[in-house]
PDB file of all heavy atoms in Angstrom:
ATOM      1  N   ILE A   1       3.745  -5.497  -6.420  1.00 98.00           N
ATOM      2  CA  ILE A   1       4.339  -4.334  -5.866  1.00 98.00           C
ATOM      3  C   ILE A   1       4.277  -4.310  -4.376  1.00 98.00           C
ATOM      4  O   ILE A   1       3.447  -4.977  -3.737  1.00 98.00           O
ATOM      5  CB  ILE A   1       3.408  -3.055  -6.393  1.00 98.00           C
ATOM      6  CG1 ILE A   1       4.134  -1.822  -6.169  1.00 98.00           C
ATOM      7  CG2 ILE A   1       2.075  -3.013  -5.925  1.00 98.00           C
ATOM      8  CD1 ILE A   1       3.577  -0.601  -6.909  1.00 98.00           C
ATOM      9  N   LYS A   2       5.342  -3.583  -3.793  1.00 98.00           N
ATOM     10  CA  LYS A   2       5.246  -3.368  -2.372  1.00 98.00           C
ATOM     11  C   LYS A   2       5.377  -1.899  -2.044  1.00 98.00           C
ATOM     12  O   LYS A   2       6.157  -1.101  -2.782  1.00 98.00           O
ATOM     13  CB  LYS A   2       6.512  -4.000  -1.653  1.00 98.00           C
ATOM     14  CG  LYS A   2       6.605  -5.529  -1.770  1.00 98.00           C
ATOM     15  CD  LYS A   2       7.778  -6.066  -1.137  1.00 98.00           C
ATOM     16  CE  LYS A   2       8.055  -7.516  -1.302  1.00 98.00           C
ATOM     17  NZ  LYS A   2       9.305  -7.979  -0.748  1.00 98.00           N
ATOM     18  N   ILE A   3       4.664  -1.340  -1.160  1.00 97.00           N
ATOM     19  CA  ILE A   3       4.675   0.146  -0.818  1.00 97.00           C
ATOM     20  C   ILE A   3       4.655   0.371   0.615  1.00 97.00           C
ATOM     21  O   ILE A   3       4.036  -0.396   1.446  1.00 97.00           O
ATOM     22  CB  ILE A   3       3.466   0.751  -1.425  1.00 97.00           C
ATOM     23  CG1 ILE A   3       3.287   0.574  -3.000  1.00 97.00           C
ATOM     24  CG2 ILE A   3       3.387   2.296  -1.147  1.00 97.00           C
ATOM     25  CD1 ILE A   3       2.030   0.934  -3.432  1.00 97.00           C
ATOM     26  N   HIS A   4       5.483   1.356   1.087  1.00 97.00           N
ATOM     27  CA  HIS A   4       5.568   1.628   2.485  1.00 97.00           C
ATOM     28  C   HIS A   4       5.784   3.067   2.689  1.00 97.00           C
ATOM     29  O   HIS A   4       6.405   3.789   1.722  1.00 97.00           O
ATOM     30  CB  HIS A   4       6.516   0.879   3.363  1.00 97.00           C
ATOM     31  CG  HIS A   4       7.952   1.055   2.947  1.00 97.00           C
ATOM     32  ND1 HIS A   4       8.615   0.560   1.991  1.00 97.00           N
ATOM     33  CD2 HIS A   4       8.780   1.968   3.523  1.00 97.00           C
ATOM     34  CE1 HIS A   4       9.827   1.059   1.810  1.00 97.00           C
ATOM     35  NE2 HIS A   4      10.096   1.895   2.854  1.00 97.00           N
ATOM     36  N   LEU A   5       5.433   3.662   3.773  1.00 97.00           N
ATOM     37  CA  LEU A   5       5.663   5.080   4.221  1.00 97.00           C
ATOM     38  C   LEU A   5       6.932   5.216   4.976  1.00 97.00           C
ATOM     39  O   LEU A   5       7.392   4.147   5.532  1.00 97.00           O
ATOM     40  CB  LEU A   5       4.406   5.608   4.979  1.00 97.00           C
ATOM     41  CG  LEU A   5       3.085   5.488   4.326  1.00 97.00           C
ATOM     42  CD1 LEU A   5       1.992   5.965   5.276  1.00 97.00           C
ATOM     43  CD2 LEU A   5       3.030   6.349   3.011  1.00 97.00           C
ATOM     44  N   THR A   6       7.470   6.325   4.997  1.00 97.00           N
ATOM     45  CA  THR A   6       8.645   6.628   5.814  1.00 97.00           C
ATOM     46  C   THR A   6       8.388   7.963   6.705  1.00 97.00           C
ATOM     47  O   THR A   6       7.399   8.633   6.593  1.00 97.00           O
ATOM     48  CB  THR A   6       9.912   6.823   5.021  1.00 97.00           C
ATOM     49  OG1 THR A   6       9.743   8.057   4.160  1.00 97.00           O
ATOM     50  CG2 THR A   6      10.217   5.709   4.134  1.00 97.00           C
ATOM     51  N   GLY A   7       9.297   8.112   7.584  1.00 96.00           N
ATOM     52  CA  GLY A   7       9.280   9.367   8.406  1.00 96.00           C
ATOM     53  C   GLY A   7       8.004   9.498   9.249  1.00 96.00           C
ATOM     54  O   GLY A   7       7.335   8.616   9.793  1.00 96.00           O
ATOM     55  N   GLU A   8       7.513  10.786   9.390  1.00 95.00           N
ATOM     56  CA  GLU A   8       6.384  11.108  10.203  1.00 95.00           C
ATOM     57  C   GLU A   8       5.145  10.485   9.580  1.00 95.00           C
ATOM     58  O   GLU A   8       4.208  10.180  10.364  1.00 95.00           O
ATOM     59  CB  GLU A   8       6.210  12.648  10.375  1.00 95.00           C
ATOM     60  CG  GLU A   8       5.226  13.186  11.387  1.00 95.00           C
ATOM     61  CD  GLU A   8       5.470  12.620  12.733  1.00 95.00           C
ATOM     62  OE1 GLU A   8       6.638  12.465  13.146  1.00 95.00           O
ATOM     63  OE2 GLU A   8       4.461  12.508  13.466  1.00 95.00           O
ATOM     64  N   LEU A   9       5.019  10.348   8.375  1.00 95.00           N
ATOM     65  CA  LEU A   9       3.869   9.791   7.739  1.00 95.00           C
ATOM     66  C   LEU A   9       3.627   8.363   8.252  1.00 95.00           C
ATOM     67  O   LEU A   9       2.518   8.026   8.578  1.00 95.00           O
ATOM     68  CB  LEU A   9       4.019   9.768   6.239  1.00 95.00           C
ATOM     69  CG  LEU A   9       3.600  10.974   5.363  1.00 95.00           C
ATOM     70  CD1 LEU A   9       3.933  10.830   3.910  1.00 95.00           C
ATOM     71  CD2 LEU A   9       2.142  11.321   5.597  1.00 95.00           C
ATOM     72  N   ALA A  10       4.767   7.689   8.317  1.00 96.00           N
ATOM     73  CA  ALA A  10       4.669   6.247   8.883  1.00 96.00           C
ATOM     74  C   ALA A  10       4.252   6.207  10.277  1.00 96.00           C
ATOM     75  O   ALA A  10       3.707   5.180  10.666  1.00 96.00           O
ATOM     76  CB  ALA A  10       6.035   5.559   8.689  1.00 96.00           C
ATOM     77  N   ASN A  11       4.469   7.282  11.065  1.00 96.00           N
ATOM     78  CA  ASN A  11       4.049   7.180  12.443  1.00 96.00           C
ATOM     79  C   ASN A  11       2.579   7.484  12.587  1.00 96.00           C
ATOM     80  O   ASN A  11       1.993   7.074  13.641  1.00 96.00           O
ATOM     81  CB  ASN A  11       4.820   8.415  13.196  1.00 96.00           C
ATOM     82  CG  ASN A  11       6.325   7.984  13.332  1.00 96.00           C
ATOM     83  OD1 ASN A  11       6.769   6.863  13.377  1.00 96.00           O
ATOM     84  ND2 ASN A  11       7.127   8.939  13.278  1.00 96.00           N
ATOM     85  N   GLN A  12       2.006   8.156  11.598  1.00 96.00           N
ATOM     86  CA  GLN A  12       0.584   8.598  11.708  1.00 96.00           C
ATOM     87  C   GLN A  12      -0.325   7.774  10.894  1.00 96.00           C
ATOM     88  O   GLN A  12      -1.552   7.640  11.189  1.00 96.00           O
ATOM     89  CB  GLN A  12       0.470  10.011  11.434  1.00 96.00           C
ATOM     90  CG  GLN A  12       1.219  11.024  12.248  1.00 96.00           C
ATOM     91  CD  GLN A  12       0.822  12.402  12.003  1.00 96.00           C
ATOM     92  OE1 GLN A  12      -0.251  12.866  11.811  1.00 96.00           O
ATOM     93  NE2 GLN A  12       1.939  13.312  12.020  1.00 96.00           N
ATOM     94  N   TYR A  13       0.168   7.231   9.731  1.00 97.00           N
ATOM     95  CA  TYR A  13      -0.708   6.559   8.797  1.00 97.00           C
ATOM     96  C   TYR A  13      -0.407   5.136   8.408  1.00 97.00           C
ATOM     97  O   TYR A  13       0.881   4.802   8.592  1.00 97.00           O
ATOM     98  CB  TYR A  13      -0.755   7.375   7.453  1.00 97.00           C
ATOM     99  CG  TYR A  13      -1.464   8.643   7.636  1.00 97.00           C
ATOM    100  CD1 TYR A  13      -0.752   9.761   7.751  1.00 97.00           C
ATOM    101  CD2 TYR A  13      -2.835   8.782   7.336  1.00 97.00           C
ATOM    102  CE1 TYR A  13      -1.272  11.106   7.969  1.00 97.00           C
ATOM    103  CE2 TYR A  13      -3.461  10.005   7.429  1.00 97.00           C
ATOM    104  CZ  TYR A  13      -2.788  11.130   7.757  1.00 97.00           C
ATOM    105  OH  TYR A  13      -3.340  12.383   7.794  1.00 97.00           O
ATOM    106  N   ASP A  14      -1.281   4.319   7.986  1.00 97.00           N
ATOM    107  CA  ASP A  14      -1.042   3.019   7.350  1.00 97.00           C
ATOM    108  C   ASP A  14      -1.422   3.317   5.831  1.00 97.00           C
ATOM    109  O   ASP A  14      -2.314   3.900   5.518  1.00 97.00           O
ATOM    110  CB  ASP A  14      -1.792   1.897   7.811  1.00 97.00           C
ATOM    111  CG  ASP A  14      -1.425   1.518   9.348  1.00 97.00           C
ATOM    112  OD1 ASP A  14      -0.294   1.408   9.581  1.00 97.00           O
ATOM    113  OD2 ASP A  14      -2.413   1.488  10.123  1.00 97.00           O
ATOM    114  N   ILE A  15      -0.420   2.789   5.063  1.00 98.00           N
ATOM    115  CA  ILE A  15      -0.784   2.865   3.540  1.00 98.00           C
ATOM    116  C   ILE A  15      -1.276   1.472   3.146  1.00 98.00           C
ATOM    117  O   ILE A  15      -0.742   0.428   3.226  1.00 98.00           O
ATOM    118  CB  ILE A  15       0.545   3.205   2.790  1.00 98.00           C
ATOM    119  CG1 ILE A  15       0.153   3.168   1.243  1.00 98.00           C
ATOM    120  CG2 ILE A  15       1.674   2.281   2.991  1.00 98.00           C
ATOM    121  CD1 ILE A  15      -0.598   4.456   0.807  1.00 98.00           C
ATOM    122  N   TYR A  16      -2.619   1.556   2.576  1.00 98.00           N
ATOM    123  CA  TYR A  16      -3.221   0.374   1.947  1.00 98.00           C
ATOM    124  C   TYR A  16      -3.220   0.454   0.471  1.00 98.00           C
ATOM    125  O   TYR A  16      -3.468   1.540  -0.049  1.00 98.00           O
ATOM    126  CB  TYR A  16      -4.655   0.153   2.484  1.00 98.00           C
ATOM    127  CG  TYR A  16      -4.726  -0.224   3.941  1.00 98.00           C
ATOM    128  CD1 TYR A  16      -4.566   0.655   4.993  1.00 98.00           C
ATOM    129  CD2 TYR A  16      -4.816  -1.594   4.281  1.00 98.00           C
ATOM    130  CE1 TYR A  16      -4.742   0.342   6.316  1.00 98.00           C
ATOM    131  CE2 TYR A  16      -4.880  -1.917   5.535  1.00 98.00           C
ATOM    132  CZ  TYR A  16      -4.850  -1.031   6.588  1.00 98.00           C
ATOM    133  OH  TYR A  16      -4.807  -1.372   7.942  1.00 98.00           O
ATOM    134  N   TYR A  17      -3.117  -0.596  -0.291  1.00 98.00           N
ATOM    135  CA  TYR A  17      -3.243  -0.711  -1.632  1.00 98.00           C
ATOM    136  C   TYR A  17      -3.684  -2.061  -2.118  1.00 98.00           C
ATOM    137  O   TYR A  17      -3.460  -3.099  -1.509  1.00 98.00           O
ATOM    138  CB  TYR A  17      -1.799  -0.415  -2.270  1.00 98.00           C
ATOM    139  CG  TYR A  17      -0.646  -1.041  -1.591  1.00 98.00           C
ATOM    140  CD1 TYR A  17      -0.040  -2.286  -2.144  1.00 98.00           C
ATOM    141  CD2 TYR A  17      -0.097  -0.556  -0.409  1.00 98.00           C
ATOM    142  CE1 TYR A  17       0.957  -2.945  -1.511  1.00 98.00           C
ATOM    143  CE2 TYR A  17       0.954  -1.197   0.279  1.00 98.00           C
ATOM    144  CZ  TYR A  17       1.421  -2.350  -0.247  1.00 98.00           C
ATOM    145  OH  TYR A  17       2.425  -3.092   0.396  1.00 98.00           O
ATOM    146  N   ARG A  18      -4.357  -1.990  -3.280  1.00 98.00           N
ATOM    147  CA  ARG A  18      -4.714  -3.274  -3.924  1.00 98.00           C
ATOM    148  C   ARG A  18      -4.557  -3.133  -5.400  1.00 98.00           C
ATOM    149  O   ARG A  18      -4.515  -2.056  -5.867  1.00 98.00           O
ATOM    150  CB  ARG A  18      -6.201  -3.484  -3.505  1.00 98.00           C
ATOM    151  CG  ARG A  18      -7.183  -2.550  -4.167  1.00 98.00           C
ATOM    152  CD  ARG A  18      -8.660  -3.075  -3.859  1.00 98.00           C
ATOM    153  NE  ARG A  18      -9.657  -2.230  -4.501  1.00 98.00           N
ATOM    154  CZ  ARG A  18     -10.913  -2.565  -4.689  1.00 98.00           C
ATOM    155  NH1 ARG A  18     -11.327  -3.771  -4.282  1.00 98.00           N
ATOM    156  NH2 ARG A  18     -11.765  -1.626  -5.253  1.00 98.00           N
ATOM    157  N   VAL A  19      -4.505  -4.308  -6.010  1.00 98.00           N
ATOM    158  CA  VAL A  19      -4.236  -4.419  -7.458  1.00 98.00           C
ATOM    159  C   VAL A  19      -5.262  -5.251  -8.163  1.00 98.00           C
ATOM    160  O   VAL A  19      -5.929  -6.177  -7.635  1.00 98.00           O
ATOM    161  CB  VAL A  19      -2.869  -4.874  -7.672  1.00 98.00           C
ATOM    162  CG1 VAL A  19      -1.773  -3.918  -7.145  1.00 98.00           C
ATOM    163  CG2 VAL A  19      -2.702  -6.312  -7.136  1.00 98.00           C
ATOM    164  N   HIS A  20      -5.433  -4.949  -9.379  1.00 98.00           N
ATOM    165  CA  HIS A  20      -6.261  -5.685 -10.358  1.00 98.00           C
ATOM    166  C   HIS A  20      -5.207  -6.419 -11.259  1.00 98.00           C
ATOM    167  O   HIS A  20      -4.452  -5.828 -11.883  1.00 98.00           O
ATOM    168  CB  HIS A  20      -7.074  -4.684 -11.214  1.00 98.00           C
ATOM    169  CG  HIS A  20      -8.154  -5.448 -12.138  1.00 98.00           C
ATOM    170  ND1 HIS A  20      -7.840  -6.162 -13.259  1.00 98.00           N
ATOM    171  CD2 HIS A  20      -9.395  -5.617 -11.961  1.00 98.00           C
ATOM    172  CE1 HIS A  20      -8.871  -6.557 -13.782  1.00 98.00           C
ATOM    173  NE2 HIS A  20      -9.972  -6.269 -13.001  1.00 98.00           N
ATOM    174  N   ILE A  21      -5.309  -7.811 -11.174  1.00 97.00           N
ATOM    175  CA  ILE A  21      -4.333  -8.556 -11.994  1.00 97.00           C
ATOM    176  C   ILE A  21      -5.143  -9.460 -13.125  1.00 97.00           C
ATOM    177  O   ILE A  21      -6.358  -9.763 -12.996  1.00 97.00           O
ATOM    178  CB  ILE A  21      -3.465  -9.388 -11.209  1.00 97.00           C
ATOM    179  CG1 ILE A  21      -4.193 -10.597 -10.418  1.00 97.00           C
ATOM    180  CG2 ILE A  21      -2.661  -8.688 -10.085  1.00 97.00           C
ATOM    181  CD1 ILE A  21      -3.292 -11.483  -9.630  1.00 97.00           C
ATOM    182  N   GLN A  22      -4.377  -9.857 -14.129  1.00 95.00           N
ATOM    183  CA  GLN A  22      -4.861 -10.787 -15.130  1.00 95.00           C
ATOM    184  C   GLN A  22      -5.409 -11.962 -14.594  1.00 95.00           C
ATOM    185  O   GLN A  22      -4.836 -12.684 -13.648  1.00 95.00           O
ATOM    186  CB  GLN A  22      -3.562 -11.114 -16.059  1.00 95.00           C
ATOM    187  CG  GLN A  22      -3.878 -12.125 -17.084  1.00 95.00           C
ATOM    188  CD  GLN A  22      -2.613 -12.434 -17.796  1.00 95.00           C
ATOM    189  OE1 GLN A  22      -1.581 -11.934 -17.724  1.00 95.00           O
ATOM    190  NE2 GLN A  22      -2.729 -13.548 -18.543  1.00 95.00           N
ATOM    191  N   ASP A  23      -6.554 -12.392 -15.009  1.00 92.00           N
ATOM    192  CA  ASP A  23      -7.327 -13.592 -14.735  1.00 92.00           C
ATOM    193  C   ASP A  23      -8.063 -13.538 -13.356  1.00 92.00           C
ATOM    194  O   ASP A  23      -9.003 -14.258 -13.189  1.00 92.00           O
ATOM    195  CB  ASP A  23      -6.384 -14.844 -14.816  1.00 92.00           C
ATOM    196  CG  ASP A  23      -5.897 -15.160 -16.128  1.00 92.00           C
ATOM    197  OD1 ASP A  23      -6.395 -14.565 -17.077  1.00 92.00           O
ATOM    198  OD2 ASP A  23      -4.889 -16.035 -16.120  1.00 92.00           O
ATOM    199  N   PHE A  24      -7.583 -12.739 -12.413  1.00 94.00           N
ATOM    200  CA  PHE A  24      -8.150 -12.649 -11.061  1.00 94.00           C
ATOM    201  C   PHE A  24      -9.039 -11.474 -10.832  1.00 94.00           C
ATOM    202  O   PHE A  24      -9.870 -11.536  -9.953  1.00 94.00           O
ATOM    203  CB  PHE A  24      -7.051 -12.840 -10.074  1.00 94.00           C
ATOM    204  CG  PHE A  24      -6.416 -14.068  -9.849  1.00 94.00           C
ATOM    205  CD1 PHE A  24      -5.458 -14.602 -10.755  1.00 94.00           C
ATOM    206  CD2 PHE A  24      -6.917 -15.004  -8.860  1.00 94.00           C
ATOM    207  CE1 PHE A  24      -4.909 -15.824 -10.532  1.00 94.00           C
ATOM    208  CE2 PHE A  24      -6.286 -16.199  -8.613  1.00 94.00           C
ATOM    209  CZ  PHE A  24      -5.373 -16.695  -9.538  1.00 94.00           C
TER     210      PHE A  24
END
């Protein structure tokens, strides 16, 4: 997955995300 913010949110925040995947 890829995720990003737009507009004013993108000017003020970074979006971080992590995933749990099979085997890892």
Side-chain angles (χ1 to χ4, degrees):
I1 192 169
K2 300 178 183 178
I3 304 168
H4 69 275
L5 303 174
T6 62
E8 187 59 29
L9 275 175
N11 294 329
Q12 297 186 43
Y13 291 92
D14 293 311
I15 178 71
Y16 287 87
Y17 44 98
R18 65 172 184 166
V19 297
H20 187 284
I21 66 171
Q22 176 186 348
D23 295 344
F24 284 81

